[in-house]
């Protein structure tokens, strides 16, 4: 056990961990922050209003909308239209454009079709910017969002669960990028692990000890344990950040919602989907450890390790992205390829098995290798 601890401590190289922290922060800011509340999620109008409407409906009606609740929700439109008429009546810019009500505004909006070439057009679009601006608390966008959500229920009342499409889309982008970042972290801590001992000529000394060549198995287990620990820490950080988007509000909503345009493979709630993404990410990221460790063992120096490892890393990242993107939906690449539920787990398991098989073959070859070679 003491030897295992020594091997595990080798992964705590402050230089590598520092590089990983800086690279992780930069990649997070570049690719992942956009999909979080800290990066402005849900990223502008009218997406913010769509998301807020779904959140308000869950708080008001629960995770599903029944027909009688839908009739009640339609009453919200009357309140918004009254608010819009009052706002229009209180601003002279609308009177200058010849607009007295929201219904008249919509009529003129459809007729103008986006042109802004005359003085009359300029007055109209000045009024439009007020209705869809901060001064009205984005009233025009709130009306559009409510219209869209009500229309979506009318088209698909058989799936009454309420789930924000913006949260769902942000989630599968976020976890796909997060898994890629975790795989990169596993590569940075694993790839130099065995090659460092090879460069220091430690392998013959270790093989001649009491444990003999079984030392390689212990080294791999220590490397795997460190990788799993690294991935779990990263996952919990990512999950804590993303949960600020309102994950708890939709935790019990089913994925097959009238507000989403995707078709889930299995009947699951968003909470189960969220945990499933974390588990799949853990399997893919930690499952890369055997493959990277194998490449490290087969390299005599860092340059050889990079020449072998970087192409494999790129291919593994691409395969993992295909598995994670839109996971557990019929639009997922793995599901479209195999057409079986749980295809994502199967592909992740195959990647793990490939890495373990390559490592086993290399270990068998190393047991036959001359100690002094």
């Amino acid at each position: 056990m003491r030897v295992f601890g020594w091997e595990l401590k080798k992964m705590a190289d402050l230089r590598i961990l520092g590089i990983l922290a800086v690279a992780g922060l930069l990649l997070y800011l570049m690719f992942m922050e956009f999909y979080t509340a800290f990066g402005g999620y849900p990223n502008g109008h009218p997406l913010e209003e769509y998301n807020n409407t779904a959140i308000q409906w869950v708080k008001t009606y629960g995770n599903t909308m029944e027909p009688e609740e839908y009739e009640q929700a339609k009453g919200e439109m009357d309140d918004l239209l009254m608010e819009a008429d009052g706002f229009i009546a209180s601003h002279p810019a609308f009177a200058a454009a010849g607009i007295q009500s929201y219904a008249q505004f919509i009529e003129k909006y459809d007729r103008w079709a986006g042109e802004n070439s005359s003085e009359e057009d300029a007055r109209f679009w000045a009024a439009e910017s007020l209705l869809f601006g901060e001064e009205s608390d984005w009233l025009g966008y709130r009306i559009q969002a409510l219209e869209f959500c009500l229309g979506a229920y009318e088209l698909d009342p058989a799936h009454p669960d309420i789930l924000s499409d913006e949260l769902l889309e942000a989630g599968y982008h976020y976890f796909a990028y997060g898994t890629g970042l975790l795989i990169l972290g596993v590569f940075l801590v694993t790839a130099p692990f065995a090659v460092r001992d090879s460069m220091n000529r430690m392998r013959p000394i270790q093989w001649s000890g009491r444990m003999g060549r079984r030392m390689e198995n212990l080294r791999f287990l220590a490397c795997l344990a460190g990788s799993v620990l690294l991935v779990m820490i990263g996952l919990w950080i990512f999950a804590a950040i993303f949960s600020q988007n309102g994950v708890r509000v939709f935790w019990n909503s089913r994925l097959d919602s009238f507000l989403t345009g995707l078709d889930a493979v299995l009947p699951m709630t968003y909470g189960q989907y969220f945990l499933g993404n974390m588990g799949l990410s853990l399997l893919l990221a930690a499952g890369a450890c055997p493959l990277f460790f194998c490449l490290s063992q087969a390299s005599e120096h860092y340059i050889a390790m990079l020449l072998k490892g970087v192409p494999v890393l790129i291919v593994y990242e691409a395969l993992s992205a295909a598995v994670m993107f839109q996971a557990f939906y019929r639009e997922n690449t793995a599901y479209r390829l195999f057409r079986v539920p749980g295809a994502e787990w199967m592909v992740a398991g195959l990647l793990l098995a490939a890495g373990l098989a390559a490592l086993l073959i290399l270990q068998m070859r190393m047991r036959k290798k001359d100690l002094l070679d």
Side-chain angles (χ1 to χ4, degrees):
M1 199 66 187
R2 185 171 52 184
V3 177
F4 178 86
W6 290 340
E7 293 295 323
L8 191 59
K9 287 173 63 176
K10 289 181 181 179
M11 299 191 72
D13 189 312
L14 295 180
R15 294 169 298 179
I16 294 177
L17 293 179
I19 294 173
L20 177 58
V22 173
L25 179 60
L26 291 176
L27 292 173
Y28 167 81
L29 294 175
M30 291 172 61
F31 297 106
M32 298 176 64
E33 188 185 33
F34 178 79
Y35 302 104
T36 69
F38 303 103
Y41 169 86
N43 308 111
H45 308 279
L47 299 181
E48 182 176 343
E49 283 70 30
Y50 293 152
N51 187 67
N52 290 342
T53 299
I55 291 175
Q56 186 59 43
W57 277 3
V58 171
K59 291 180 178 179
T60 303
Y61 308 117
N63 294 105
T64 60
M65 176 167 284
E66 303 302 329
E68 59 274 12
E69 293 172 336
Y70 167 70
E71 295 298 327
Q72 183 179 345
K74 286 169 62 176
E76 299 175 17
M77 179 60 71
D78 296 333
D79 295 338
L80 284 180
L81 293 178
M82 289 180 58
E83 182 181 349
D85 289 341
F87 181 80
I88 289 172
S90 64
H91 282 74
F94 291 94
I99 299 172
Q100 305 298 326
S101 65
Y102 183 78
Q104 193 174 8
F105 168 81
I106 291 298
E107 180 183 350
K108 287 187 177 245
Y109 185 90
D110 294 337
R111 180 157 48 88
W112 253 281
E115 295 182 3
N116 190 15
S117 56
S118 67
E119 182 179 349
E120 187 178 8
D121 287 341
R123 288 196 295 266
F124 174 79
W125 293 116
E128 188 267 353
S129 65
L130 288 173
L131 187 62
F132 287 82
E134 189 174 3
E135 186 173 348
S136 68
D137 195 19
W138 316 105
L139 180 56
Y141 289 122
R142 284 189 282 140
I143 294 174
Q144 283 186 352
L146 185 57
E147 285 178 338
F148 172 81
C149 294
L150 291 172
Y153 181 83
E154 292 175 358
L155 292 173
D156 190 17
H159 298 97
D161 285 80
I162 304 170
L163 175 61
S164 169
D165 189 45
E166 284 65 46
L167 177 67
L168 190 63
E169 183 175 355
Y172 57 68
H173 281 93
Y174 184 84
F175 277 107
Y177 284 127
T179 302
L181 180 55
L182 293 173
I183 292 171
L184 176 62
V186 171
F187 176 78
L188 289 176
V189 299
T190 301
F193 190 72
V195 73
R196 188 186 301 120
D197 286 345
S198 178
M199 292 177 62
N200 294 331
R201 304 296 179 186
M202 292 294 296
R203 195 170 289 166
I205 299 175
Q206 293 169 341
W207 288 359
S208 61
R210 185 177 62 178
M211 294 190 62
R213 305 194 185 198
R214 291 179 300 166
M215 181 69 186
E216 299 299 331
N217 298 332
L218 187 64
R219 180 183 286 116
F220 167 68
L221 291 176
C223 185
L224 180 62
S227 298
V228 171
L229 179 62
L230 174 67
V231 172
M232 290 184 66
I233 292 174
L235 273 177
W236 281 115
I237 293 174
F238 293 160
I241 293 174
F242 190 77
S243 64
Q244 304 304 311
N245 288 7
V247 170
R248 289 185 291 271
V249 175
F250 302 102
W251 191 262
N252 295 317
S253 296
R254 292 189 177 275
L255 295 184
D256 285 328
S257 166
F258 64 90
L259 292 176
T260 62
L262 299 177
D263 188 11
V265 177
L266 298 172
M268 61 173 66
T269 64
Y270 185 79
Q272 294 168 335
Y273 170 81
F274 186 81
L275 296 176
N277 270 284
M278 289 185 64
L280 188 59
S281 181
L282 174 63
L283 180 58
L284 285 167
C289 175
L291 188 58
F292 297 149
F293 183 82
C294 176
L295 295 174
S296 181
Q297 271 195 325
S299 303
E300 297 296 329
H301 47 76
Y302 290 131
I303 295 178
M305 178 267 294
L306 289 174
L307 291 175
K308 297 174 183 177
V310 171
V312 174
L313 172 64
I314 294 173
V315 173
Y316 195 95
E317 290 275 21
L319 292 173
S320 298
V323 171
M324 289 298 303
F325 192 70
Q326 296 180 335
F328 312 117
Y329 278 93
R330 297 184 189 278
E331 290 78 4
N332 178 264
T333 302
Y335 179 81
R336 287 189 295 173
L337 183 62
F338 295 101
R339 294 293 178 181
V340 294
E344 302 89 349
W345 295 101
M346 184 175 69
V347 174
L350 288 174
L351 291 174
L352 173 61
L356 290 173
L359 180 62
L360 178 61
I361 294 172
L362 180 63
Q363 295 278 31
M364 292 174 63
R365 292 180 59 184
M366 292 183 68
R367 289 181 182 179
K368 299 178 182 179
K369 189 176 181 180
D370 189 359
L371 181 63
L372 301 177
D373 188 2

